[in-house]
Amino acid sequence: MRSDAVKTGVQQAPHRSLFHALGLTEEEMKRPLIGIVNSYNEVVPGHMNLDKITEAVKLGVAMAGGVPREFPAIAVCDGIAMGHQGMKYSLVTRDLIADSTECMAMAHQFDALVMIPNCDKNVPGLLMAAARLNIPTIFVSGGPMMAGRVDGKKRSLSSMFEAVGAHAAGTLSDEQLAEFENKVCPTCGSCSGMYTANSMNCLTEVLGMGLKGNGTIPAVYSERIRLAKQAGMQVMELLKKNIRPRDIMTKEAFLNALTVDMALGCSTNSMLHLPAIAHEAGIELNVDLANEISSHTPNLCHLAPAGPTYMEDLNEAGGVYAVMNELTKRNLLNLDCMTVTGKTVGENIKGCENRNPEVIRPIDRPYSETGGLAILKGNLAPDSGVVKRSAVVPEMMVHEGPARVFECEEDAIAAILGGKIQAGDVVVIRYEGPKGGPGMREMLNPTSAIAGMGLGSSVALITDGRFSGASRGASIGHVSPEAAVGGPIALVEEGDLIRINIPECRLELAVSDQELQERRKKWKPRKQELHGYLARYASLVTSGNRGAVLELPGQSHQE
């Protein structure tokens, strides 16, 4: 056992004395030490129930003969951080979470780990740590929030943000806004649509790192507690069989994840996180694969914000395994990939039928024959841009209009809510990328304001930042190269014509190469006063099209 390095032998007598100080018995000292990574805090609604999940996991580990030792991981609530300087600190926590978990696991020589995340950056951060450490590991999340209800209709956090835009447009009263405020987020859990947290918890199932139901069983269900106990017991089986994360998170597993991503219509943030997790597993996952996979993967789900169904509905319809089983009808998945169950993907999903064809469309009756995400390229995004195609209205799939250029999110919000954006405009928000932000802020406020003011079917938004999974409409993010490094988005001027063609995956600035060269000669990098962690992050972070992974100066992507 790895933990023998801190438990066994004469030289480890001082170590054992410290374990005795923790209350461990001689019998416990002979058993495997299992690290329990608990992301609980009292700030994030998706994490407020993780104390109960953790206790259930620990009980499961103990029942199966292990000794659970709990330690924390931080978490930022993206909703609370949204729309102000706090959002600069969201994506950057992904690496803090991975690094701190690595430190704890290596310093204390745990034999195995159970990861307990729930919201946006905890899931990918802990998956990155799992791939990096490569010791037996299983995931169990806190589960999704139940949908709220306003006027008899199911609602979610995206409804709340859009209600602010409707209020600014004068179509929603103060009283109606207050009703939304009090009802759209009715329980603990990760927000109830197919936003980033739920996308990544579902994709954890697909990758094989979580048990059935990890992504969809609601946070308030006792079934979630039972799942946590099962995860605690199952990590002991992984340890016994020496099944490790890199045995599970193979290139084929990531291709499965991209495929199910397209079928579910996941958040655009998955195009940041999957490459970053793969990078830690020693796999290069080029985002260009997304279009190739999308071209033959039908979109089967329109969960909020793309449609009127929610995570609780997906759970009742059969969950992620039912979606995966549907995809096997066209042989779209690799069924031989190993998973934390100790069985293959094919063995896991056998017999998992679709119980509601209105929530999970049958594969011969999809929402579209192509997947939920698209990677766009062109002279405005030479490396890439990302759009959640399944959440774009038909009339905006092809669009051209004048650029309305803003140097930060706050300026764009002021213009939108001030009625200065007109139908047909293309809002460009730049210097919000990984380096330029720094931290690649999410733009849920501007997209929700556009939708709430009735402009969702006539105005596009382009940014080198990113979008919340709750964003909908012609919202194109991750534009790379970003403005801070001189990408073409830095050269756009007010009134320039921008052409968007999502079916053809094109994003073009109708300005000649010669004119762009002249503009580049005059361009100067924007100077920022940065301190602390953000300064270090900005100096190390790579482009959005590479997953915004961190690299030391002079280090190549292949190293």
Side-chain angles (χ1 to χ4, degrees), residues 141 202 248 293 332 358 375 386 407 409 412 478 527 552:
S141 75
C202 287
I248 295 169
I293 290 172
L332 293 176
E358 297 308 311
I375 304 297
V386 185
E407 308 298 301
E409 177 188 4
H478 308 193
K527 293 183 179 180
L552 295 172

Side-chain angles (χ1 to χ4, degrees), residues 357-519:
E358 297 308 311
V359 176
I360 304 170
R361 288 280 185 93
I363 201 159
D364 57 0
R365 189 171 60 86
Y367 283 101
S368 66
E369 286 293 342
T370 52
L373 300 180
I375 304 297
L376 309 187
K377 289 192 175 185
N379 69 342
L380 186 50
D383 290 339
S384 70
V386 185
V387 65
K388 189 170 185 174
R389 173 165 42 193
S390 59
V392 179
V393 294
E395 53 266 42
M396 290 299 291
M397 295 296 280
V398 177
H399 178 78
E400 65 176 54
R404 304 298 308 279
V405 183
F406 302 95
E407 308 298 301
C408 65
E409 177 188 4
E410 287 84 355
D411 291 350
I413 281 285
I416 295 165
L417 296 180
K420 297 179 181 178
I421 302 301
Q422 307 299 317
D425 286 348
V426 179
V427 175
V428 176
I429 306 177
R430 60 192 180 194
Y431 294 104
E432 292 285 6
K435 283 186 181 293
M440 206 176 186
R441 287 196 289 180
E442 286 185 345
M443 303 290 150
L444 179 56
N445 274 355
T447 58
S448 299
I450 286 169
M453 295 188 75
L455 297 171
S457 60
S458 60
V459 170
L461 196 153
I462 295 172
T463 182
D464 52 6
R466 58 196 178 93
F467 293 107
S468 165
S471 292
R472 62 186 176 100
S475 304
I476 301 163
H478 308 193
V479 169
S480 304
E482 62 175 293
V485 298
I489 192 171
L491 309 178
V492 180
E493 294 183 357
E494 187 80 8
D496 284 347
L497 188 67
I498 292 176
R499 298 191 180 106
I500 301 165
N501 191 318
I502 294 173
E504 295 183 5
C505 300
R506 301 295 299 170
L507 180 60
E508 301 283 351
L509 181 64
V511 174
S512 69
D513 291 344
Q514 183 178 355
E515 172 62 20
L516 288 177
Q517 289 174 5
E518 291 301 314
R519 292 182 187 181

Side-chain angles (χ1 to χ4, degrees), residues 155-172:
R155 304 286 187 174
S156 62
L157 185 64
S158 54
S159 312
M160 182 69 251
F161 277 91
E162 291 179 15
V164 174
H167 182 266
T171 58
L172 199 71

Side-chain angles (χ1 to χ4, degrees), residues 136-149:
T137 302
I138 194 168
F139 277 67
V140 57
S141 75
M145 182 184 290
M146 300 295 286
R149 287 184 181 272

